Amino acid sequence: MHGHGRTLRRLSGGVALAAFAATLGLPAAALADTASEIKALKAHLKRLETRLAEQAKSTTQVKNALDTKAAPTTNAPPPVFVSFRNGLFVETEDQDFSFKVGGQLQIDGGFASSADTISRSNVGFRRARLEIEGKAYKNWFYKVQYDFTGAGVAGIRDFYFAYRDKFLPPEISAQPVTVQIGNFREPFSLESTESSKYFTFIERSLPSVLSPSRHIGAAVAVGDKQWSVKAGVFSTSPQDTATAPPTGESQYWDAAVRGVYAPIVEEDKLLHLGASFKYHKPNNTTAATDAANLRPGQSPEREETDVLGGGGALTRVSAAQDLSCGASAASLNIATTGVGLLSAPFARRSSCLKYSYNYGFEAAAAYGPVSLQAEYIAAQYERDVTNALIYGNGGGNSLRYSGYYVFGSVFLTGESRAASYKGYDKDFNTPGSFGDVQIKNPLNKGGYGAFELAARYSEINLNNGGLVDGNFVYAAGVAGNAAQKAIASTATLGGRQDNLTVALNWYPVKGVRFQANWTKTLTLIAPSDRPYLNGEHPSLFLARAQVFW
């Protein structure tokens, strides 16, 4: 600025000099030179004024930028919270946006005594999953989970989005109502709802094969810390044998509801009660596309007699008996020759099952390190007896299957299962279930982790009445005449089994666990298609190493 002042003073001096020369009568050439110099100086002055204006503008911009850094405006991106504890978790400061990258890896190995449907020994990946879950715009939640032990679409597990908002008055619930759409577990049964990450035993119990798995549908859930109700309508599942119905038919659908109430929820005390119901409308689908419902006992989920991957449970309704009477997806119509031409395609082979329904009751309790849990599950099938007789599919018009389990556990290191209970306030997807063990002295902090002992007794009964006992059914199936086979077909003989399982679990740190199970079959009444298993008492040992994040 001082240099510019000196320049201005020189300009003023030049102008005064020119005026003085004119008064003295100096030559015009000299005056012209002076005028030219004055013009040049004026142009230089103009350039300097422009440069000064640009410098002032630049100074203002720098100051504004410094002010913006000192006090962020609403347009600046908000700060985020990042955590690497048990997975990658990122969340904005206002908690409106978040995502978590997680996964699960289970490696099993074991051996068994002689049994037709269990391998003598095996080792492999039970589950190998990656998942992303989070929320957006405060109210929208999502989860994408894929299991690499499946193939293609069959590997899809949880795959949904949900909208949550507080539609209810606080007197009813302080928690938001949840509307959920996608592929997720039908609300039915405590054990079937619970994540495999947190199983006390390596596999679910025998009656779990009467519970639905994940299906595509929509559900609504409400609840609070001590209670919840979740209900929805569902159809096919990526874990079905086929996701499309038979040619010319409609897809089946389910309506399911589960309600739970926990009058006691404390850090080391818990009392949990619940009930479930599921209605199933087959719409002429068959076991070729819906085996889990139409061939009870053959579930897409493993249970404790199928842990070695031998091809199915020891008990199940005969592979030849589809309760819908459908021989296969390709031959549903009655014969389209001769008299059959008068009625086909209006009469279907798959028209035996009118509807079915499942129901269950559950209870769990914990006091300090000791806990108990039990469930009873039943499945009822209502059929058209005339069609069943015409197509030689036995069992009559009303079939009933059932099962139950009871287990107890104790933490030798003082942890309580009550501390891992998840009410609706903690988990809208699977409310009223159990999560990760809260380890008191983990290995990474100088402790020994948590140790747990558990024992479970479970039963499933897939035999259903009839006019004769199982021995007659076996004999008629092998060497009976037409009349004897007709009498034998009044019953379904899917088998009955009782198991005892003992478990030892070690939880060294959060997200890591090692499990060992020994299972003994106490009673085995064989299914009609495998009578040679009758009276067998196979046993098996299985170990698992698991990490999840």
Side-chain angles (χ1 to χ4, degrees), residues 7 9 33 38 67 78 93 146 184 201 272 278 285 307 321 331 366 373 405 416 436 452 494 512 519:
T7 301
R9 285 194 295 270
D33 290 341
I38 292 172
D67 291 342
E93 187 178 42
Y146 189 85
F184 51 94
F201 298 87
H272 162 100
K278 184 198 81 168
T285 52
V307 289
Q321 186 169 29
S331 59
Q373 184 172 310
Y405 73 84
S416 178
D436 199 14
E452 180 184 27
V512 178
T519 298

Side-chain angles (χ1 to χ4, degrees), residues 411-473:
F411 280 95
L412 306 179
T413 44
E415 286 77 9
S416 178
R417 200 158 178 250
S420 63
Y421 183 75
K422 300 185 298 178
Y424 181 78
D425 59 326
K426 294 181 180 179
D427 186 352
F428 69 83
N429 184 37
T430 58
S433 64
F434 291 90
D436 199 14
V437 173
Q438 304 301 303
I439 305 170
K440 288 190 172 183
N441 297 295
L443 197 65
N444 63 324
K445 295 185 178 180
Y448 294 97
F451 285 89
E452 180 184 27
L453 280 175
R456 177 174 66 190
Y457 178 85
S458 67
E459 179 195 78
I460 189 168
N461 187 353
L462 300 178
N463 294 338
N464 191 86
L467 302 177
V468 291
D469 63 14
N471 290 327
F472 186 93
V473 176

Side-chain angles (χ1 to χ4, degrees), residues 328-463:
S328 72
S331 59
L332 301 181
N333 294 355
I334 63 173
T336 53
T337 59
V339 178
L341 291 172
L342 299 176
S343 57
F346 304 106
R348 303 288 192 177
R349 278 187 56 100
S350 58
S351 59
C352 283
L353 182 63
K354 295 185 289 186
Y355 63 89
S356 65
Y357 58 89
N358 301 47
Y359 56 92
F361 304 96
E362 63 192 62
Y367 187 82
V370 178
S371 69
L372 297 171
Q373 184 172 310
E375 286 195 74
Y376 172 82
I377 299 173
Q380 186 79 22
Y381 291 78
E382 298 298 331
R383 307 201 303 163
D384 185 315
V385 66
T386 303
N387 285 348
L389 289 174
I390 289 174
Y391 297 121
N393 192 292
N397 67 321
S398 186
L399 309 176
R400 182 175 175 276
Y401 308 106
S402 63
Y404 70 91
Y405 73 84
V406 178
F407 83 71
S409 75
V410 57
F411 280 95
L412 306 179
T413 44
E415 286 77 9
S416 178
R417 200 158 178 250
S420 63
Y421 183 75
K422 300 185 298 178
Y424 181 78
D425 59 326
K426 294 181 180 179
D427 186 352
F428 69 83
N429 184 37
T430 58
S433 64
F434 291 90
D436 199 14
V437 173
Q438 304 301 303
I439 305 170
K440 288 190 172 183
N441 297 295
L443 197 65
N444 63 324
K445 295 185 178 180
Y448 294 97
F451 285 89
E452 180 184 27
L453 280 175
R456 177 174 66 190
Y457 178 85
S458 67
E459 179 195 78
I460 189 168
N461 187 353
L462 300 178
N463 294 338

Side-chain angles (χ1 to χ4, degrees), residues 35 49 58 125 136 216 224 387 423:
E49 288 175 345
S58 176
F125 292 101
I216 298 172
D224 216 320
N387 285 348

Side-chain angles (χ1 to χ4, degrees), residues 490-546:
T490 60
T492 56
L493 193 62
R496 183 172 71 83
Q497 185 175 345
D498 301 343
N499 282 358
L500 174 66
T501 300
V502 179
L504 173 63
N505 303 324
W506 178 40
Y507 312 86
V509 294
K510 181 178 177 63
V512 178
R513 63 176 60 187
F514 298 92
Q515 298 174 272
N517 283 190
W518 175 80
T519 298
K520 179 68 175 179
T521 298
L522 304 178
T523 303
L524 177 55
I525 299 175
S528 57
D529 61 337
R530 284 167 289 172
Y532 48 85
L533 290 176
N534 205 40
E536 285 284 314
H537 299 282
S539 59
L540 60 93
F541 173 81
L542 191 72
R544 169 175 293 173
Q546 172 179 260

Side-chain angles (χ1 to χ4, degrees), residues 25-308:
L26 293 177
L31 291 176
D33 290 341
T34 302
S36 177
E37 182 180 354
I38 292 172
K39 184 177 180 180
L41 290 174
K42 285 182 177 180
H44 183 61
L45 178 60
K46 185 73 174 178
R47 289 193 296 270
L48 289 177
E49 288 175 345
T50 301
R51 190 177 300 175
L52 283 173
E54 291 176 352
Q55 287 181 350
K57 181 178 179 182
S58 176
T59 302
T60 302
Q61 290 175 341
V62 171
K63 183 178 182 302
N64 290 339
L66 291 174
D67 291 342
T68 300
K69 290 183 178 181
T73 66
T74 55
N75 295 326
V80 297
F81 169 78
V82 180
S83 172
F84 292 96
R85 293 185 59 187
N86 207 37
L88 171 61
F89 177 75
V90 179
E91 185 177 48
T92 58
E93 187 178 42
D94 58 11
Q95 299 182 337
D96 284 357
F97 296 82
S98 70
F99 73 87
K100 179 182 183 295
V101 179
Q104 177 185 11
L105 183 64
Q106 294 176 343
I107 303 174
D108 292 359
F111 53 87
S113 63
S114 177
D116 171 60
T117 57
I118 297 180
S119 303
R120 288 296 187 94
S121 65
N122 195 19
V123 64
F125 292 101
R126 176 64 176 89
R127 295 177 177 90
R129 298 177 178 175
L130 285 178
E131 60 187 43
I132 299 175
E133 60 182 319
K135 65 179 176 179
Y137 301 102
K138 187 178 180 179
N139 299 103
W140 295 91
F141 294 74
Y142 60 89
K143 185 174 183 178
V144 178
Q145 184 185 67
Y146 189 85
D147 193 335
F148 291 90
T149 61
V153 175
I156 295 175
R157 294 299 183 261
D158 284 340
F159 203 110
Y160 63 80
F161 69 91
Y163 180 79
R164 307 192 72 207
D165 210 339
K166 291 185 178 181
F167 297 117
L168 297 176
E171 294 79 14
I172 298 177
S173 175
Q175 299 299 318
V177 175
T178 304
V179 180
Q180 188 175 3
I181 299 174
N183 189 67
F184 51 94
R185 288 197 172 276
E186 293 191 25
F188 190 97
S189 166
L190 168 57
E191 189 180 51
S192 296
T193 299
E194 186 173 295
S195 170
S196 60
K197 296 176 183 178
Y198 313 125
F199 285 173
T200 300
F201 298 87
I202 289 179
E203 297 292 345
R204 293 182 172 93
S205 62
L206 288 171
S208 67
V209 296
L210 299 178
S211 299
S213 184
R214 293 177 176 87
H215 285 80
I216 298 172
V220 176
V222 297
D224 216 320
K225 178 180 180 180
Q226 293 182 286
W227 66 276
S228 67
V229 177
K230 186 173 184 178
V233 178
F234 304 86
S235 189
T236 187
S237 166
Q239 293 177 269
D240 281 344
T241 311
T243 55
T247 302
E249 303 295 355
S250 302
Q251 189 58 268
Y252 69 86
W253 59 268
D254 294 343
V257 59
R258 176 174 177 250
V260 302
Y261 174 55
I264 302 175
V265 182
E266 299 178 16
E267 188 175 351
D268 60 351
K269 299 182 186 67
L270 173 71
L271 178 60
H272 162 100
L273 303 169
S276 306
F277 182 83
K278 184 198 81 168
Y279 176 85
H280 176 80
K281 186 67 173 177
N283 285 337
N284 288 343
T285 52
T286 71
T289 57
D290 186 21
N293 280 290
L294 298 173
R295 194 172 292 145
Q298 185 167 311
S299 169
E301 299 285 352
R302 295 182 186 174
E303 37 73 35
E304 60 187 348
T305 61
D306 190 30
V307 289
L308 294 181

